[in-house]
Amino acid sequence: MIKIEAIFNVFSFSSYYINVLFFAFGTFFGNIAFAKAYSLLFPHAKKFFIVFASFLVPSTLFWTSGLHKDGLLFMLMSLIVYQLAMWINAQKTTSRMILNIFLCLFFILILRNYVALSLIPAIFICILNYRFPNDALKINSAVVAVCCAGFFLSSYISPALNLPEWIVKRRIEFNSLSANSLLPYETLESSFESYLYNLPQALNHGFLRPYLWDHLGLFYIPFALEIIALAALIIYFIFNRVSLNSSQRAILYFGLFILLANWLFLGYMVHIVGAVIRYKSIFLPFFVAPMLLSTKLSSLIKN
């Protein structure tokens, strides 16, 4: 990011705000790809919800609008979803699609490696659920089981690939930072028992924080309200969803997996509320979009 900003400084005369415009101009193609992808998968959905999910999810809009990695990551993830939507729409796979997905995964791996690790099984979930729509429970359960087993057995593949220990080290690094919004946390070790013991705390920190009553300041209140709104949307979706076809269910499971996996990772790794809010914001639209576009609420909004 420093090198990118150094290039921008040549043309902006070191103006931060002009640098942000340059950066946002590039990453904005991710929002466009996101909107096109879900327009292909939900052709009869109301434009209002596609626009909202693509551009106006509050925390995503805030954190992808500055000079942060989050904007690049959201763009690369959106391009992957766009390639998946193109594959589903065209009913065929091309070498160009595969190359584009691999290139996006490669750059995501450089920027934030745990995101790339979560996207690989998410892509398989999307493809397999589309190909075998009647076996969704078996497919999703099998992929989750393989991921959990691979996570805890990674040290047996290579000591350098010890994922539980990597999470522990990242947690220590984050929690050594001085912050006003540091949450209390238990000791985490690389054993399965320690991860299981810390699971309730990880779910709390990764999925539920900040609370409205945390008294962290006005800055955190909109993000607390966003979590409440997400919970309300999930409840509404459960009881008021419309029938989904195989491609729509596949992309819903894709979004659900990357949100659950990454928010859980963050719940284990990060115990600074501000950092948790920022890092988990980029996954929200991929889960919110298919829910918004497949509820009966959409009938109340006119194009």
Side-chain angles (χ1 to χ4, degrees):
M1 297 301 298
I2 294 173
K3 292 178 181 178
I4 291 174
E5 190 170 3
I7 296 172
F8 290 161
N9 284 337
V10 175
F11 303 97
S12 68
F13 301 100
S14 300
S15 171
Y16 173 80
Y17 300 104
I18 295 177
N19 288 346
V20 169
L21 287 176
F22 286 154
F23 186 75
F25 176 79
T27 57
F28 192 69
F29 286 100
N31 300 81
I32 296 172
F34 186 99
K36 286 191 172 184
Y38 286 91
S39 296
L40 283 173
L41 296 171
F42 296 86
H44 304 296
K46 301 300 180 183
K47 298 295 188 295
F48 171 84
F49 291 109
I50 294 176
V51 170
F52 178 84
S54 305
F55 303 100
L56 300 175
V57 175
S59 62
T60 311
L61 174 63
F62 181 83
W63 290 111
T64 58
S65 297
L67 281 166
H68 304 294
K69 292 180 182 179
D70 308 275
L72 288 173
L73 286 165
F74 181 74
M75 179 187 70
L76 292 166
M77 292 167 63
S78 297
L79 291 174
I80 289 175
V81 171
Y82 179 66
Q83 294 300 318
L84 291 172
M86 291 286 288
W87 167 70
I88 291 171
N89 191 59
Q91 298 288 319
K92 64 179 181 180
T93 306
T94 65
S95 57
R96 183 177 178 180
M97 290 179 183
I98 296 172
L99 177 61
N100 288 339
I101 289 175
F102 271 103
L103 284 174
C104 289
L105 285 173
F106 173 74
F107 287 115
I108 292 172
L109 185 66
I110 294 173
L111 291 169
R112 205 166 284 168
N113 46 18
Y114 67 87
V115 177
L117 290 177
S118 69
L119 280 168
I120 294 171
I123 291 170
F124 277 106
I125 280 179
C126 181
I127 294 172
L128 293 174
N129 275 281
Y130 176 69
R131 289 295 191 189
F132 310 101
N134 296 325
D135 298 318
L137 181 60
K138 294 178 182 178
I139 291 168
N140 296 337
S141 300
V143 172
V144 170
V146 169
C147 290
C148 291
F151 178 81
F152 288 106
L153 297 175
S154 57
S155 60
Y156 294 97
I157 300 172
S158 170
L161 197 66
N162 191 335
L163 296 179
E165 184 62 29
W166 181 84
I167 295 287
V168 172
K169 290 179 180 178
R170 291 283 290 172
R171 176 189 175 112
I172 294 171
E173 292 172 3
F174 270 111
N175 295 337
S176 64
L177 301 174
S178 57
N180 296 326
S181 58
L182 184 66
L183 297 169
Y185 58 91
E186 301 288 341
T187 302
L188 179 67
E189 299 175 354
S190 59
S191 65
F192 173 78
E193 293 79 6
S194 180
Y195 271 84
L196 187 62
Y197 176 79
N198 280 271
L199 179 60
Q201 184 183 76
L203 292 172
N204 178 27
H205 290 179
F207 289 79
L208 303 178
R209 291 302 181 100
Y211 298 146
L212 269 176
W213 53 88
D214 273 337
H215 302 294
L216 296 172
L218 293 175
F219 173 78
Y220 295 92
I221 292 178
F223 301 109
L225 293 173
E226 185 180 63
I227 293 174
I228 295 172
L230 176 63
L233 176 61
I234 293 171
I235 294 171
Y236 187 87
F237 172 77
I238 291 172
F239 295 102
N240 296 277
R241 65 182 184 275
V242 298
S243 179
L244 301 177
N245 60 36
S246 58
S247 61
Q248 293 166 348
R249 283 196 299 271
I251 208 66
L252 173 64
Y253 293 139
F254 171 90
L256 176 62
F257 183 87
I258 61 171
L259 182 134
L260 292 177
N262 286 284
W263 283 23
L264 187 59
F265 272 142
L266 291 169
Y268 277 116
M269 282 194 300
V270 186
H271 300 296
I272 300 172
V273 176
V276 171
I277 292 171
R278 173 188 161 186
Y279 292 142
K280 72 181 187 179
S281 64
I282 58 173
F283 309 107
L284 201 52
F286 299 96
F287 181 53
V288 168
M291 283 199 300
L292 273 180
L293 300 176
S294 56
T295 60
K296 295 177 182 178
L297 182 65
S298 60
S299 63
L300 302 178
I301 307 295
K302 294 182 178 180
N303 279 321

